[in-house]
Amino acid sequence: MDAPAKIAVVGTGYVGLTTGACFAHLGHQVVCVDIDIDKVQRLSVGDVPIFEAGLAELVEEGLNTGRLAFVANTGVGVRDADFVYLCVPTPPSTDREGNADSSAGLVDLRALESAAREVGLHVRAGAVVVNKSTVPVGSARLVAKAMGRSDVTVVSNPEFLREGSAVSDFLFPDRVVIGATDRGAAQRVAKLHQRSAAPTIITDPATAETSKYAANAFLATKLSFVNTIAAVCEAVGANVADVLSVLGHDKRIGSECLTPGPGWGGSCFPKDTQALVRMAADAGYDYSLLRGVLAANDEQFNRVVNKVAAVVDLARATIAMLGLAFKAGTDDTRNSPALAIAERLLAAGARVQAYDPAVTRVEGTNIALARDAYAACEGAEVLLVVTEWDEFKTLDVAQLAGVMSALNVVDARNIMDAEALLRHGFDYQCIGRG
Ligand code: UDX
């Protein structure tokens, strides 16, 4: 490796902490900055507040080798850095009452502007400031303006990390995208990633920023397509698993992101697709295809609710919901399909008893949390699987039959043992099979 670089990372969410810990693992000297002093203190002793595979181990390794430090003061964190990574949240804008309104597609850039202003006060001349946060096209200019430093270059380097596999996605990326007006600065950033041997695309900042939205919009489109093909399969009596196997073997389509489910969610896809629809509209293009993709996702939540309503009277039913996180491998419930579906069931008068192995709290809802899957099923008329945790694949069907008050399963992830359920007298519905 070339001489280790001095890297500062501003923001220790899952993107920032992964970036900092992975750069330290690659041999660089890293300081992570966060305005949350409690978090900095916890991280400084290796207490990682995020559920992310392999991350705690890398933080511990960085602390032990002295290559990773955490500070609450931006000035202290960035003053010696050759590279400053901005990894602060860019959530949907809130309305006057403070409610997030992702459907408007507006992005709240206040944290980014404030971090950039602060960095501008302390960063040394010749440093490169790298924006990793997902931001509307044109935000590299906004960062440069907020910093007010003509001797510092701003580079856009969007992240493509998936929650649950963020560490390996960082260390072994499919590609690296660097947007810069200064090619020398772009090449310096590219060098930090050269060990991964991933294809590197150096382009202008607006193109790099657009590519992040385009990637997420494409994947969301693929998933909505899969879920609508599943609906067609149900209608015509075809088997979605075999249809998708045929599709997945076509190299032009590929088998990834091809699993039907209750709808897609998480902290990125919904926010980024809404933002792209909005950005396009503001620029005079009605992105009707992507609006359709969003509408199909909302329909998918309703299709799951309708499957439950087909076997019970929602106004009186108790439903065992297995899974709350937006996917397995994370404790994140932001924009989780599970919550969207639960809210619709609750609004129809149902009682929802939920269990998720990684989620111990959900705020602002009447979902009752159970200690395990069997406790969630106690007295329930329908078992509804919404997150694809492994432990739901191997539940003891006889025990489920013993605790439920009616034998209905709606498997919105197609993961349960359908034959075992049918043998025990369950009515079994899944996604994409009649
Ligand atoms: C996503 C992008 O993959 C990542 O590149 C970007 O940086 C951030 O957004 P993440 O939000 O972690 O990552 O989730 P991802 O694993 O892509 O899943 C998103 C949603 O799609 C989840 O609700 C998941 O359950 C659903 N999904 C995914 C499916 O229903 N079927 C699939 O085959 C894949």
Side-chain angles (χ1 to χ4, degrees):
M1 188 180 102
D2 293 317
K6 289 185 188 144
I7 297 174
V9 179
V10 181
T12 59
Y14 95 98
V15 173
L17 193 56
T18 304
T19 301
C22 287
F23 273 139
H25 174 69
L26 293 172
H28 300 292
Q29 201 61 43
V30 181
V31 184
C32 290
V33 184
D34 203 291
I35 50 172
D36 182 341
I37 297 177
D38 280 350
K39 201 169 176 193
V40 166
Q41 281 170 346
R42 285 178 64 181
L43 287 166
S44 299
V45 293
D47 179 4
V48 174
I50 303 170
F51 185 97
E52 189 61 55
L55 187 57
E57 290 80 353
L58 286 194
V59 168
E60 195 184 331
E61 176 194 273
L63 291 170
N64 289 341
T65 55
R67 289 200 295 261
L68 182 63
F70 296 93
V71 299
N73 183 311
T74 307
V76 172
V78 309
R79 68 185 169 210
D80 293 327
D82 308 312
F83 301 91
V84 179
Y85 279 79
L86 298 177
C87 303
V88 294
T90 48
S93 272
T94 51
D95 60 21
R96 282 204 197 101
E97 281 76 49
N99 301 312
D101 181 11
S102 66
S103 61
L106 293 170
V107 181
D108 183 349
L109 294 171
R110 283 174 301 179
L112 184 67
E113 271 188 280
S114 133
R117 256 195 310 276
E118 192 68 18
V119 168
L121 295 176
H122 304 284
V123 69
R124 61 172 190 72
V128 179
V129 171
V130 187
N131 181 41
K132 263 207 174 302
S133 309
T134 302
V135 286
V137 177
S139 300
R141 279 201 304 278
L142 180 117
V143 168
K145 194 162 160 238
M147 281 202 308
R149 291 280 302 267
S150 56
D151 54 351
V152 172
T153 311
V154 179
V155 165
S156 163
N157 171 221
E159 55 83 16
F160 297 96
L161 310 178
R162 285 164 303 176
E163 289 183 36
S165 56
V167 168
S168 68
D169 287 348
F170 187 96
L171 295 173
F172 310 103
D174 289 344
R175 76 306 213 183
V176 175
V177 185
I178 299 169
T181 45
D182 174 339
R183 201 161 172 96
Q187 271 156 353
R188 284 171 65 198
V189 176
K191 244 177 144 183
L192 298 175
H193 296 278
Q194 70 186 10
R195 233 178 76 171
S196 74
T200 300
I201 296 122
I202 295 185
T203 183
D204 62 273
T207 305
E209 288 162 351
T210 306
S211 68
K212 170 63 191 268
Y213 284 104
N216 277 353
F218 184 85
L219 294 171
T221 304
K222 196 173 180 188
L223 288 172
S224 276
F225 177 83
V226 164
N227 287 333
T228 53
I229 281 294
V232 171
C233 288
E234 284 171 24
V236 302
N239 177 342
V240 77
D242 292 346
V243 169
L244 292 174
S245 169
V246 173
L247 263 62
H249 282 98
D250 185 326
K251 290 190 196 67
R252 296 166 301 174
I253 297 173
S255 59
E256 303 246 347
C257 244
L258 213 57
T259 308
W264 41 267
S267 65
C268 294
F269 283 179
K271 166 174 82 80
D272 294 351
T273 42
Q274 299 278 12
L276 186 52
V277 167
R278 175 64 187 240
M279 259 183 283
D282 287 350
Y285 175 63
D286 175 12
Y287 207 152
S288 57
L289 173 66
L290 202 51
R291 285 194 289 105
V293 166
L294 281 154
N297 200 42
D298 196 67
E299 260 170 39
Q300 189 66 3
F301 301 153
N302 283 337
R303 291 184 62 244
V304 174
V305 172
N306 291 341
K307 282 175 190 291
V308 178
V311 286
V312 285
D313 174 4
L314 290 184
R316 280 177 245 280
T318 296
I319 294 148
M321 181 175 260
L322 298 192
L324 288 165
F326 79 95
K327 63 175 181 179
T330 176
D331 59 355
D332 198 343
T333 56
R334 282 177 292 174
N335 283 312
S336 175
L339 296 187
I341 292 163
E343 285 314 320
R344 289 166 206 211
L345 294 171
L346 289 165
R351 174 176 163 78
V352 177
Q353 303 177 162
Y355 167 70
D356 186 296
V359 180
T360 49
R361 235 171 26 148
V362 268
E363 272 152 23
T365 132
N366 287 326
I367 299 171
L369 282 190
R371 69 178 182 283
D372 61 29
Y374 301 102
C377 290
E378 197 83 52
E381 287 117 310
V382 185
L383 182 167
L384 167 61
V385 179
V386 268
T387 312
E388 73 282 26
W389 289 105
D390 277 344
E391 70 173 72
F392 300 154
K393 297 174 186 169
T394 52
L395 291 171
D396 182 329
V397 175
Q399 200 177 335
L400 291 174
V403 294
M404 290 180 67
S405 66
L407 302 187
N408 297 298
V409 168
V410 174
D411 180 1
R413 292 283 187 173
N414 296 0
I415 57 168
M416 293 194 78
D417 183 346
E419 277 174 25
L421 287 163
L422 293 172
R423 261 200 319 274
H424 281 81
F426 278 87
D427 179 279
Y428 178 77
Q429 300 179 72
C430 61
I431 304 288
R433 249 172 287 162

